Amino acid sequence: SPDFQWPALEERDACALCYTSGTTGNPKGVLYSHRSTLLHSYATMMPDALGIARRDVVLPIVPLFHVNAWGNPYACPIAGAKLVFPGSKMGDGETLAALINEEKVTLSAGVPTVWLGLLAHLKKSGQRVDSLERIIVGGAACPLSIMEDLDSYGVSTRVGWGMTEMSPLGSANAGDSERDKYSTEDYARLRLKAGRPIFGVEMKIVDDEGKALPWDGEAFGSLLVRGPWVCSSYFKLEDSDAHEREAGWFETGDVATIDADGYLAITDRTKDVIKSGGEWISSIEVENAATDHPKVAEAAVIGCYHPKWSERPLLIVVRSSDGQDVTAAEILASLEGKIAKWWMPDAVEFVDELPHTATGKVQKLKLRDQFSGYAFKA
């Protein structure tokens, strides 16, 4: 309305309240201020983050209740970029392809399952999405196969990492701008990583005693972060400091490595990590390797009881539409050489679908309930 009266607001006043998705428990509220939201928006617009400019047409394929659609509804108006919303059909590949082409979308953001749906439609229909230049993938690990399929359509893929408690962006992988520095194999490994922390976010990894670990790409431990848009406590749970291991640092609940170039790689969630014979197994790396198989649509790994090793990995697979004949033995054979031998799943179970949250994340809590009686033999 031309008669709208802009209110006078203090920068530290409350701006928005979003709840964590609750994949491992009850959702908790994170309250953002105008100041934290504005600073986060500035940071996400930087070239090596989301790189949002006035010329862009941005399609956030994430709901507004999911960390304010990753902050795009704030960053895009600041830049003057056009915003396109998919409504209730954000998971429908045909609708997304039509919307991208009609609105000339240049940048989009969404979880991996969204891109699986879009790619399936493009392959089936023969359509293209020529205006689309780049996408941001977050919310879950993105298989290399998705990135390489998008490459064939001329679409660059950037992995981002963050969480509701971080407004959400914490890191972004801009390795695509340095493609010529790497061999094909090194670039494939690099682009799977969550990228470097964006300016304003500090990170460190620590061991069980809270001792800082080296950035060598080998040591992995609990990931801690801090910054002006990282939450200090949960809404109406201010007395709870369970998320803080060290004053001023937020404990993310992720297990990670950081290499000498500052690239972050998430290896697991603390609550999802599989400890077999006293050693950690990265479920994310096993899942990524499994989804490289052309007849695997989705995969998830959980730990199940083993009388000798305490627990061992169980691989749960959703077959692709043209892979109904693929066997467990074929999938396990495809993992050889891609993961450590002792990471090899002890079994493969096939399901019609994996349980997801409303934002597209796999609900491992439900999977563990579903396979709660599963046990391996010694």
Side-chain angles (χ1 to χ4, degrees):
S1 166
D3 300 323
F4 183 79
Q5 297 296 311
W6 290 97
L9 299 168
E10 294 296 326
E11 65 172 11
R12 295 185 187 274
D13 282 353
C15 171
L17 177 66
C18 280
Y19 281 79
T20 62
S21 58
T23 55
T24 56
N26 292 326
K28 296 181 286 289
V30 181
L31 189 64
Y32 312 111
S33 68
H34 290 275
R35 180 178 186 272
S36 71
T37 300
L38 185 64
L39 290 173
H40 175 264
S41 298
Y42 274 132
T44 64
M45 292 164 61
M46 295 179 76
D48 284 342
L50 305 191
I52 297 173
R54 186 174 67 86
R55 61 173 290 275
D56 280 312
V57 179
V58 183
L59 173 66
I61 316 177
V62 282
L64 286 164
F65 64 76
H66 189 204
V67 210
N68 301 303
W70 295 356
N72 286 324
Y74 301 119
C76 291
I78 290 173
K82 177 180 174 180
L83 263 169
V84 179
F85 291 107
S88 61
K89 299 222 174 168
M90 66 179 194
D92 182 69
E94 183 177 359
T95 300
L96 291 178
L99 203 53
I100 290 168
N101 288 324
E102 288 168 11
E103 300 292 341
K104 306 300 181 191
V105 171
T106 61
L107 168 64
S108 189
V111 297
T113 50
V114 162
W115 308 118
L116 283 171
L118 177 63
L119 285 166
H121 170 71
L122 295 180
K123 290 175 184 178
K124 183 179 178 180
S125 66
Q127 278 187 280
R128 295 188 60 84
V129 282
D130 290 330
S131 67
L132 189 61
E133 299 169 0
R134 63 202 190 282
I135 65 163
I136 310 298
V137 187
C142 183
L144 183 62
S145 57
I146 289 181
M147 299 183 190
E148 291 178 339
D149 280 348
L150 286 165
D151 287 346
S152 68
Y153 289 94
V155 180
S156 175
T157 306
R158 283 189 179 182
V159 173
W161 171 83
M163 35 193 332
T164 305
E165 293 89 340
M166 296 181 68
S167 300
L169 194 61
S171 68
N173 191 331
D176 55 329
S177 62
E178 306 174 299
R179 172 67 186 88
D180 57 347
K181 292 183 179 180
Y182 301 95
S183 67
T184 301
E185 294 76 17
D186 287 343
Y187 182 59
R189 284 191 288 270
L190 174 78
R191 66 193 310 197
L192 288 170
K193 295 186 177 185
R196 295 184 174 110
I198 60 175
F199 183 79
V201 174
E202 292 181 75
M203 295 183 177
K204 66 178 178 178
I205 48 175
V206 300
D207 61 18
D208 290 341
E209 284 72 48
K211 180 183 176 183
L213 296 170
W215 288 20
D216 59 7
E218 299 293 333
F220 57 91
S222 297
L223 176 63
L224 276 62
V225 296
R226 68 180 177 185
W229 53 81
V230 179
C231 81
S232 57
S233 61
Y234 293 109
F235 184 58
K236 294 189 176 179
L237 291 174
E238 287 83 356
D239 294 334
S240 171
D241 62 352
H243 61 287
E244 283 198 357
R245 177 177 297 215
E246 180 183 337
W249 288 87
F250 179 82
E251 187 166 5
T252 64
D254 281 319
V255 179
T257 65
I258 306 176
D259 67 22
D261 291 325
Y263 277 89
L264 171 74
I266 304 297
T267 61
D268 229 318
R269 291 289 293 167
T270 305
K271 294 180 180 179
D272 293 336
V273 74
I274 300 167
K275 204 160 190 180
S276 181
E279 299 292 337
W280 284 1
I281 295 174
S282 170
S283 65
I284 290 176
E285 289 192 38
V286 179
E287 289 161 0
N288 281 338
T291 51
D292 280 344
H293 195 292
K295 293 186 177 182
V296 173
E298 274 193 285
V301 173
I302 60 172
C304 291
Y305 174 74
H306 191 284
K308 181 178 180 180
W309 302 111
S310 179
E311 60 179 1
R312 291 290 299 155
L314 171 67
L315 176 60
I316 304 163
V317 167
V318 178
R319 293 181 173 102
S320 63
S321 57
D322 59 349
Q324 297 307 306
D325 59 340
V326 70
T327 65
E330 287 178 59
I331 293 172
L332 291 175
S334 74
L335 299 178
E336 292 179 6
K338 295 181 179 179
I339 58 175
K341 285 186 177 180
W342 61 276
W343 285 16
M344 193 68 70
D346 280 27
V348 179
E349 292 291 333
F350 294 99
V351 295
D352 292 333
E353 62 180 3
L354 297 176
H356 294 92
T357 67
T359 57
K361 296 179 183 178
V362 174
Q363 293 180 300
K364 289 198 174 178
L365 189 62
K366 285 192 174 182
L367 280 179
R368 284 192 286 269
D369 287 343
Q370 183 179 342
F371 291 91
S372 59
Y374 206 98
F376 298 112
K377 295 178 181 179

